[in-house]
Amino acid sequence: MADHLVNQGGTWHVRLTVPKDIQPLLGKSILSRSMKTSSRIEAKNKSLRYLAIWKAQFEFYRSKKESFKDHPKEIAIERAIENEERYKENFKRIVNKDSHAHISESEYLNLVEYLVSQCEAGQISYETMFKAGQLLRDGVNLEAKARKEKRELTDSERLNIHEMQKQYNIILNLDKISSTFKQNEAEREEIQRIFREPEKYIKEPFSKKLILDYKNYISKRLKPKTADQQLSRLEKISSYFEKTKKEFNFRNVSNFIESVSDSISTKKQYLWAGNAFWAWAVKFDDKFEEKYSKIKNPFENHALPKRNKLNTNSYFEFSKNDLERIYIAAKNTDQNLADVIEIAAYTGCRIEEIGRLRNQDIVNIKSESPYIIIHESKTKSGEREIPINPKLIKTLIRLMSGRAKSEYLFSGGKNLYGNRFDYLSKRFGRLKTSLGFDKKYTFHSIRKTTATQLHQGGAFIGIIPYILGHKIGSITYDTYSAGPSLEQKKVAIAILDFEFI
């Protein structure tokens, strides 16, 4: 079975043994899937996908074994509901008096051998091995008795065997989880309730374990902040369905989207996160694909209202007088923030561009044509040279004084995503709010103020994007032109005039 294929009743199946060290996490010793074909060649081609997925899962579980210590409940719910589905199917076969619903002598011997191997490997206790083995033996004895008496099993005996099989799986899973995770008495009791009453625990598609798998996937493909935002939205979706116990369908996803925010943009972000997760899960998670691949994606085709074209601005600019008022308020309590506001107003720089300015980025400060070099920016267009307005020179000289060339002009923090000025951005937010400005005004509004002052002051419209670090939107300018000269930009920058006293 080098290719992991076995023929059962004329149909090929792919089977793969689960490594012993991760069997407790998967709750299985063997993975099996029907290829639904009698052709070995076709089955082999189909099996490659499943083998690749399973082996990738093995590697993931092995590398993340420690991280699963916080999710025994999730694993228990997943196994309990899987078991319950098998019990229901088994019960139907019992009602129909299907002989395949029972344990044959050979199957019993195989299961006993499995119990012994699990006990020897330390996955289950001797007591559990004995209890589980006794349940199997009792079931086999009932069937042997009926055969000896040359009669069919009674309905009562069939149900007894069914219940024995159910109890066998419960005590086996309970012991495996207990041997894998450190739990207190209350946690063990909850796990027992999950296995005994799984119908009370709705298993939504966004289980913590599956989200953990998804996190591992997107963390290598998205920026850290984008990945964290997407995962946060998925966890909120998961929490909603877990708390409300609602069925996972289009209508209830729509209800969630309506409840989460009035913002169209926010609603779209939740739908985008759900769509991305759904596409990944159907493609890469075997269980999810089996359960949901034939169900229409509930995150698609939600008719959200269109934005009012007359109100598409995400933020407003500060008037000249308003910005001067904010500067004065900052200077009274926070000189660093005041300096940053002044630099932003006279250059149009983003807050993080200012946060990454080093002494060496201020060029020829005492000459007639000093300028700032922006090396690190949000976009390629943002890497630029900006002439220094004469009113800004005194502040820059003070900031440069006593600093080595490679030092930053401002001391900065470093948040989870590497932003040096996250703390100053929050200070600015608190300051402008205290002065009566709502969420439509942000630090980024200063860039709009600078652009507006340049435009209304008579600066050539084609130069303003080069000062702010924007693309022009023309192949001629963006691809072939080197842009305006420093002297041309210097004329425009000289227009800016704020009363920062």
Side-chain angles (χ1 to χ4, degrees), residues 146-163:
R147 285 197 301 271
K148 185 177 181 180
E149 295 173 359
K150 298 181 180 180
R151 62 175 174 82
E152 293 288 328
L153 285 166
T154 65
D155 289 344
S156 176
E157 287 172 330
R158 291 176 188 278
L159 291 174
N160 280 340
I161 292 173
H162 172 69
E163 185 60 28

Side-chain angles (χ1 to χ4, degrees), residues 426-463:
K426 290 175 180 175
R427 283 189 202 170
F428 180 84
R430 289 191 291 269
L431 176 64
K432 61 93 180 178
T433 299
S434 71
L435 295 173
F437 296 95
D438 61 23
K439 63 182 181 180
K440 285 289 186 180
Y441 294 87
T442 68
F443 191 93
H444 210 71
S445 297
I446 300 175
R447 276 168 63 79
K448 296 196 76 170
T449 302
T450 302
T452 301
Q453 292 297 308
L454 288 171
H455 195 187
Q456 294 180 355
F460 176 53
I461 193 70
I463 287 180

Side-chain angles (χ1 to χ4, degrees), residues 190-229:
E190 183 178 27
I191 296 298
Q192 288 177 10
R193 286 196 298 273
I194 289 171
F195 278 104
R196 299 188 192 286
E197 301 176 292
E199 66 278 359
K200 292 185 178 179
Y201 295 84
I202 293 178
K203 175 72 163 54
E204 77 287 348
F206 297 83
S207 69
K208 289 183 178 64
K209 192 157 71 71
L210 191 56
I211 289 177
L212 188 63
D213 290 4
Y214 184 56
K215 178 181 180 180
N216 184 59
Y217 175 81
I218 65 173
S219 63
K220 300 173 183 176
R221 293 163 175 80
L222 299 178
K223 292 180 179 179
K225 187 174 182 179
T226 305
D228 285 352
Q229 289 172 336

Side-chain angles (χ1 to χ4, degrees), residues 7 10-13 34-40 42-43 46:
N7 194 300
T11 300
W12 288 99
H13 291 67
S34 170
M35 296 295 96
K36 300 178 182 179
T37 180
S38 59
S39 167
R40 183 182 178 86
E42 184 181 354
K46 284 185 175 182

Side-chain angles (χ1 to χ4, degrees), residues 24 115-125 175-176 178-180:
L115 288 174
V116 172
S117 68
Q118 290 291 290
C119 185
E120 289 176 345
Q123 301 296 336
I124 62 174
S125 67
D175 204 46
K176 281 191 174 184
S178 295
S179 68
T180 306

Side-chain angles (χ1 to χ4, degrees), residues 252-266:
N252 289 328
V253 167
S254 180
N255 290 338
F256 166 76
I257 295 299
E258 288 303 315
S259 71
V260 76
S261 174
D262 292 330
S263 166
I264 297 171
S265 176
T266 300

